[in-house]
């Protein structure tokens, strides 16, 4: 199948896909690599937004394993970078954070944040935002914008396209090539169906990062 640029797809026909992520979530990371693959094969353009599992789980009685490591630091830094440089930097910063967190198993500390910022061509000093509440109002607003579209009984990622929003997909490993495009086509089909809410089965494997 030709890539969208090879097929002569006009900018006007490209659909904006809004993707809300917490860089600490392994399932969101896999979905993000899938949607970047889709972006090469279908007429879509991804716009990245921050959400927070720490915010989502506030006041909830959730299993301990869902709380471990899900602090405010990384999402605060993402918001700080967005405010300084604009939303277009979120994609590459997310990529640098995701590689470190999920492939390299780097600690979620300031040194890792500084390394990711530098690799993304951004000011490493923004890592100081991890311990500041200065960006929390904007963080919560971005989080709320995504969650209000789907409800608060789901997690990350949240994806919105063509007036429809949904949680997921939760998939492993990353679908590549035509498999990624077929999954996108199927997701669009079911989520555009009026009154459709859920397809689900029990997860029987852990995230696989290729």
């Amino acid at each position: 199948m030709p890539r969208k640029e090879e097929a002569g797809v006009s900018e006007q026909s490209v659909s904006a896909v809004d993707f809300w992520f917490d860089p600490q979530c392994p399932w969101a990371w896999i979905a993000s690599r899938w949607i970047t693959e889709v972006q090469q094969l279908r007429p879509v353009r991804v716009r990245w937004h921050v959400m927070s599992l720490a915010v989502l789980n506030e006041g909830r009685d959730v299993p301990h394993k869902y709380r471990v490591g899900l602090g405010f630091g990384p999402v605060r830094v993402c918001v700080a970078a967005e405010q300084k440089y604009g939303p277009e930097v979120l994609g590459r910063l997310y990529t640098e954070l995701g590689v470190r967190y999920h492939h390299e198993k780097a600690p979620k500390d300031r040194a890792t944040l500084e390394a990711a910022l530098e690799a993304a061509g951004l000011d490493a000093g923004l890592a100081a935002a991890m311990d500041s509440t200065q960006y929390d109002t904007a963080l919560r607003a971005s989080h709320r914008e995504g969650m209000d579209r789907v409800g608060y009984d789901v997690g990350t990622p949240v994806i919105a396209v063509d007036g429809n929003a949904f949680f997921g997909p939760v998939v492993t490993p990353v679908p590549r090539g035509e498999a990624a495009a077929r999954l996108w086509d199927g997701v669009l089909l079911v989520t555009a169906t009026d009154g459709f809410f859920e397809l689900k089965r029990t997860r029987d494997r852990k995230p696989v990062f290729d």
Side-chain angles (χ1 to χ4, degrees):
M1 174 173 292
R3 294 177 180 267
K4 64 183 183 185
E5 60 270 19
E6 295 170 351
V9 177
S10 68
E11 183 64 26
Q12 289 75 19
S13 65
V14 174
S15 295
V17 176
D18 293 287
F19 189 111
W20 278 265
F21 67 91
D22 184 321
Q24 300 163 104
C25 177
W27 297 104
W29 172 246
I30 291 175
S32 75
R33 298 311 90 185
W34 161 71
I35 201 66
T36 56
E37 188 88 355
V38 171
Q39 191 169 230
Q40 303 304 313
L41 297 163
R42 293 292 187 264
V44 302
R45 176 173 56 87
V46 181
R47 301 186 299 200
W48 303 97
H49 309 272
V50 178
M51 67 163 290
S52 170
L53 289 174
V55 172
L56 187 66
N57 289 328
E58 284 178 333
R60 290 186 175 185
D61 182 18
V62 297
H64 178 69
K65 65 180 180 179
Y66 293 124
R67 293 187 182 275
V68 175
L70 294 180
F72 284 89
V75 286
R76 283 171 171 165
V77 172
C78 286
V79 172
E82 180 182 20
Q83 289 193 359
K84 181 169 183 176
Y85 296 100
E88 63 274 7
V89 305
L90 283 177
R92 67 177 189 263
L93 178 55
Y94 182 21
T95 294
E96 297 299 340
L97 286 170
V99 168
R100 286 161 176 79
Y101 289 161
H102 305 299
H103 295 262
E104 299 173 1
K105 308 303 181 185
K108 297 180 178 69
D109 57 14
R110 180 161 177 167
T112 299
L113 287 166
E114 289 174 344
L117 286 162
E118 288 182 354
L122 308 175
D123 177 12
L126 290 173
M130 68 179 294
D131 297 316
S132 171
T133 60
Q134 175 183 349
Y135 301 97
D136 285 8
T137 298
L139 166 61
R140 290 176 182 275
S142 179
H143 174 87
R144 187 168 56 251
E145 182 186 2
M147 301 309 297
D148 281 351
R149 299 175 186 230
V150 293
Y152 285 75
D153 57 347
V154 298
T156 180
V158 168
I159 297 176
V161 58
D162 296 335
N164 296 306
F166 52 90
F167 158 68
V170 177
V171 62
T172 192
V174 180
R176 300 290 185 183
E178 188 57 27
R182 287 198 305 270
L183 177 57
W184 175 249
D185 295 341
V187 166
L188 286 186
L189 178 64
V190 297
T191 58
T193 301
D194 183 49
F196 174 84
F197 295 107
E198 187 172 5
L199 279 174
K200 191 172 184 178
R201 56 186 172 190
T202 300
R203 277 178 268 172
D204 60 1
R205 68 191 77 173
K206 295 181 178 180
V208 175
F209 308 115
D210 57 3

